[in-house]
Amino acid sequence: MATATTLSDNLNDARSLATRARLINSTIDALVEIGFTRTTGVEVCRRAQLTRGALNHHFPDFAELLVETLKQLYRQLLDLKDDADTGLLEQIASEGYLRVTQPEFKAVIELWLASTNDKAFGKRLAQAIEQGSKLFSPEMVLIRKREHKRSKDFEAIYRTITEALIGIGLGRAINGGTAMAHEPMVLQTLQSLARQNDQHDDA
């Protein structure tokens, strides 16, 4: 039978997790809407309707909140899957497109840029960035290369697709979240390139 102390501890843990989630979600919203330079502790607390004391209690500093925010962003984006019955490269292209066209991907871009402009902050973000390196499932490239050594073009096409998808995400970020006029053409080209290589591998 649970003791009163255990129940109280569980309730406190749940409240703590909920508060951290509010702070992280408010940080994501701010990064998407107003960008990194205007995303401050004061702004995050205002959006979360929490005091600065709550922020300081749950995160040792603002940089730690940003690190945890990037980790959460990666988790959200990596949860997006495409269950269509397609070849591997076409699946990567479809899932990658789904991920970079989410409004939250702008927040990822904001933190990437911040990490390069501030070296100390960049070091803090390095681990989170590494954890998010599966955004386009690069580990599947290594698996595929072992299974299909005859496909010399696979990695080059994969890299082309992922770089173009990042460009699509960046284009939306600087265009107020709206697709650039050429986006459908680029996506169609990527899907065609992926499909052709997948069909070649399966032949």
Side-chain angles (χ1 to χ4, degrees), residues 82 89-98 100-101 161 164-165 168 172 179-195:
D82 184 350
L89 272 175
E90 192 172 358
Q91 179 189 16
I92 290 172
S94 296
E95 287 186 355
Y97 179 73
L98 184 62
V100 302
T101 54
I161 290 170
L165 289 173
I168 286 175
R172 285 187 175 229
M180 303 289 274
H182 60 267
E183 184 180 301
M185 177 185 65
V186 173
L187 178 62
Q188 185 177 15
T189 301
L190 294 178
Q191 289 174 328
S192 177
L193 186 64
R195 193 175 301 117

Side-chain angles (χ1 to χ4, degrees), residues 4 10 28 53 67 69 102 105-106 108 140 145-146 151-152 157 181 190 192 201:
N10 289 341
I28 293 172
V67 169
T69 296
Q102 299 301 308
F105 191 69
K106 180 180 184 288
V108 174
M140 289 196 290
K145 284 175 70 176
R146 286 196 294 269
S151 181
K152 296 179 181 178
I157 295 172
L190 294 178
S192 177
D201 272 358

Side-chain angles (χ1 to χ4, degrees), residues 89-153:
L89 272 175
E90 192 172 358
Q91 179 189 16
I92 290 172
S94 296
E95 287 186 355
Y97 179 73
L98 184 62
R99 293 164 181 170
V100 302
T101 54
Q102 299 301 308
E104 293 81 9
F105 191 69
K106 180 180 184 288
V108 174
I109 292 174
E110 291 283 346
L111 291 173
W112 282 350
L113 292 174
S115 73
T116 62
N117 295 330
D118 183 332
K119 298 304 180 185
F121 179 53
K123 289 181 180 178
R124 297 282 297 275
L125 273 184
Q127 184 180 6
I129 290 174
E130 177 63 25
Q131 288 178 348
S133 64
K134 295 180 180 179
L135 191 60
F136 298 106
S137 302
E139 76 281 0
M140 289 196 290
V141 174
L142 302 177
I143 295 170
R144 186 70 168 207
K145 284 175 70 176
R146 286 196 294 269
E147 294 176 350
H148 298 271
K149 294 181 180 179
R150 63 186 176 181
S151 181
K152 296 179 181 178
D153 296 331

Side-chain angles (χ1 to χ4, degrees), residues 47-90:
R47 288 170 179 261
Q49 298 183 326
L50 293 167
T51 66
R52 186 59 190 254
L55 173 58
N56 294 336
H57 175 73
H58 290 281
F59 297 95
D61 55 30
F62 191 60
E64 185 63 23
L65 170 60
L66 294 173
V67 169
E68 291 303 314
T69 296
L70 184 58
K71 290 179 181 179
Q72 177 60 28
L73 283 163
Y74 281 140
R75 284 192 291 268
Q76 288 179 208
L77 293 171
L78 286 166
D79 278 344
L80 299 174
K81 304 292 184 183
D82 184 350
D83 296 327
D85 184 17
T86 61
L88 179 60
L89 272 175
E90 192 172 358

